[in-house]
Amino acid sequence: MKVLSLNFLTCAVKACKSSSNSYPLHPKDAELVQDDLEVNAQLLLNLLPRIDWTALSTTATELGFPALPPQAPSVEELQSDEKKLRDLHNLLMETQIMEGKLVCANCGHEYAVREGIANFLLPSHLV
Amino acid sequence: MQARLGLLPLDISGVSLGRVKRAREEPFDRDAAYMLPTPDTSHVAYERVYEPAEDSFLLLDTLSSATETAFLQTRFGEGYAPLVVEVGPGSGVVIAFVNAQAQALFGSRNVLTAAVDVNGYACKATGETARKAALENATTHGSFLGALQGDLVAPVRDRLVDVLIFNPPYVPTPELPKQPRQADLPALDAKPSFDDDSYMLSLSYAGGRDGMETTDRLIDSLPQVLSTKGCAYILLCAQNKPEQVKQRILGFGEAWKVATVGSSGKQAGWEKLQIIRIWVE
Ligand SMILES: C[S@@+](CC[C@H](N)C(=O)[O-])C[C@H]1O[C@@H](n2cnc3c(N)ncnc32)[C@H](O)[C@@H]1O
């Protein structure tokens, strides 16, 4: 699963949805792989407004990437900064979580990631 | 295929046999007829993952029809990166097609695609199908984010999905199979037993009362999961009472619209299968 996915996912436990603690999920013991993909600058620019930057910063740091700037770059900034584009592309599109866990800070449940597939099926006591 | 038919409860075997036979009676080259190639799913283990069938192909044909590509392109114009989520991708044939043909369907490659299936083997198959299809369509594909295992849209944040696609377990059955908890399905690296396989296949077709128990839950989640531009494509069969389903969706509010945008297999004046498009205006 691409790192970008984490920006779109939350805890599957119903009672957690209303808690801001359930987002983003926190990667634990994550094994990453890097794909080598062509940069699609327009996609990143289109994507920018729909990314939750605060959540992405948390995810990046927890995965061991250099800290992101506190504010999201503007479309103009990103457009004119080749390195920023490349770094964002590398984090969101090229990096995949293959193994590990995703942890909800609200209920503490750990979702396993195996072979790049996160398992969000819940154990009986959490349904 | 043999094993799969063997699993079907008696009262519905006619439905499935009909589908299989139809496919055999009408051998034609889909790719020549429709131009856009059907993704290769030859790696998929059909003893535990739903094999592409008439319903799957109806979705491909509907999503790539002139009316639907026009609808999608008007709705998600330039400067936007729509998020397409398929629930229940099975082999991955549909979402791999949407991802590989992003340029033809959306008029742009700036499209994100993802999938959620309750069956982990389907998730694995989907990843591979999407990867292969993107390789074969190197200049037209979008970005496939991944397939994850889960119940419907439970792990997806609210109000994010722009296009939701669902070919549900729609066959009416006396009972809905037990909806799996984490411990009910074999781990991805385990060797599934024959019973595991039967269970996973039953999850792919058995829909309980009116064949609608799972689809109803998905429909109920639409107001929460769809973005402000959101729309959904859902497959129904005649036994699902499509007119009632449509009325229910219209009942969500004045802004909600629904239309039949694809159909196949006319039987005594009834469409055997149809695709409804649901959207907010
Ligand atoms: C009829 S098959 C469709 C497969 C594929 N989309 C196609 O068109 O060929 C239904 C799929 O939905 C999945 N499914 C059933 N219940 C589900 C649920 N509650 N959440 C997610 N997926 C589910 C099944 O595992 C199966 O892969």
Side-chain angles (χ1 to χ4, degrees):
Chain A
M1 64 189 300
K2 291 190 194 292
V3 168
L4 176 55
S5 319
L6 283 190
N7 218 252
F8 300 150
L9 295 173
T10 180
C11 185
V13 176
K14 258 215 186 82
C16 284
K17 298 259 168 187
S18 54
S19 159
S20 57
N21 268 342
S22 64
Y23 175 80
L25 298 169
H26 304 283
K28 188 176 151 191
D29 307 328
E31 287 173 30
L32 307 179
V33 296
Q34 300 285 338
D35 297 330
D36 188 12
L37 303 174
E38 225 178 293
V39 182
N40 177 350
Q42 194 56 49
L43 172 64
L44 293 168
L45 295 170
N46 291 1
L47 205 53
L48 201 54
R50 70 182 309 170
I51 287 183
D52 185 314
W53 193 261
T54 313
L56 182 65
S57 304
T58 306
T59 304
T61 309
E62 290 176 349
L63 288 175
F65 282 76
L68 299 183
Q71 296 286 320
S74 69
V75 169
E76 293 72 30
E77 271 176 278
L78 193 57
Q79 213 158 15
S80 59
D81 191 332
E82 176 95 9
K83 175 161 183 329
K84 270 208 181 97
L85 263 176
R86 195 162 278 288
D87 287 349
L88 199 58
H89 167 74
N90 176 252
L91 173 64
L92 294 178
M93 297 304 199
E94 291 188 314
T95 308
Q96 298 221 44
I97 304 178
M98 295 307 288
E99 301 286 329
K101 294 178 182 95
L102 302 173
V103 186
C104 171
N106 194 51
C107 69
H109 187 63
E110 301 189 341
Y111 298 96
V113 183
R114 297 256 165 77
E115 303 183 45
I117 296 162
N119 185 348
F120 281 91
L121 289 179
L122 296 169
S124 304
H125 70 277
L126 286 179
V127 179
Chain B
M1 187 50 58
Q2 218 59 29
R4 172 149 158 253
L5 291 177
L7 294 167
L8 298 172
L10 259 187
D11 61 329
I12 59 150
S13 60
V15 177
S16 200
L17 272 174
R19 178 194 291 159
V20 175
K21 213 158 109 222
R22 226 181 101 86
R24 289 215 191 101
E25 271 168 7
E26 299 168 21
F28 69 99
D29 185 345
R30 289 184 41 78
D31 294 353
Y34 295 107
M35 245 161 56
L36 299 175
T38 305
D40 175 10
T41 53
S42 57
H43 54 280
V44 181
Y46 298 131
E47 63 269 28
R48 59 189 70 101
V49 174
Y50 190 82
E51 181 173 1
E54 187 183 343
D55 45 3
S56 329
F57 299 135
L58 178 60
L59 262 172
L60 301 197
D61 296 344
T62 302
L63 290 167
S64 55
S65 69
T67 45
E68 293 320 297
T69 56
F71 172 83
L72 294 170
Q73 292 180 23
T74 312
R75 201 158 174 96
F76 309 108
E78 277 184 33
Y80 193 71
L83 172 64
V84 184
V85 174
E86 183 180 17
V87 176
S91 64
V93 67
V94 177
I95 195 69
F97 177 82
V98 172
N99 187 62
Q101 306 303 336
Q103 182 69 49
L105 271 53
F106 290 87
S108 155
R109 298 186 56 189
N110 306 324
V111 176
L112 304 172
T113 57
V116 189
D117 202 295
V118 79
N119 174 349
Y121 295 91
C123 296
K124 218 164 135 175
T126 294
E128 181 61 9
T129 307
R131 190 189 63 80
K132 277 193 188 170
L135 267 182
E136 300 239 317
N137 297 274
T139 59
T140 61
H141 68 80
S143 295
F144 180 71
L145 301 182
L148 46 92
Q149 191 173 3
D151 177 36
L152 302 180
V153 288
V156 182
R157 285 192 91 199
D158 287 351
R159 299 239 151 230
L160 276 186
V161 178
D162 294 303
V163 182
L164 188 142
I165 301 170
F166 193 25
N167 175 7
Y170 57 78
V171 177
T173 50
E175 277 184 41
L176 192 68
K178 173 176 193 286
Q179 294 300 290
R181 306 287 173 244
Q182 207 181 49
D184 294 333
L185 292 171
L188 277 184
D189 50 4
K191 170 101 188 72
S193 67
F194 181 78
D195 285 350
D196 290 333
D197 285 348
S198 313
Y199 180 46
M200 287 187 273
L201 281 189
S202 75
L203 289 169
S204 77
Y205 70 81
R209 189 178 26 82
D210 292 337
M212 281 299 290
E213 290 190 39
T214 300
T215 313
D216 274 340
R217 284 201 298 127
L218 191 276
I219 289 175
D220 286 337
S221 73
L222 289 178
Q224 218 179 338
V225 76
L226 292 184
S227 73
T228 45
K229 293 189 185 214
C231 63
Y233 290 89
I234 299 179
L235 183 135
L236 300 173
C237 75
Q239 293 96 319
N240 296 156
K241 308 188 177 151
E243 287 313 310
Q244 281 183 23
V245 177
K246 288 172 158 180
Q247 284 308 318
R248 197 159 83 73
I249 291 159
L250 293 175
F252 283 170
E254 259 187 28
W256 288 79
K257 311 283 175 214
V258 56
T260 298
V261 292
S263 63
S264 79
K266 242 193 167 63
Q267 269 180 352
W270 286 84
E271 308 295 357
K272 205 170 83 188
L273 299 175
Q274 63 174 290
I275 313 274
I276 57 170
R277 184 225 292 155
I278 301 165
W279 75 106
V280 183
E281 234 169 48

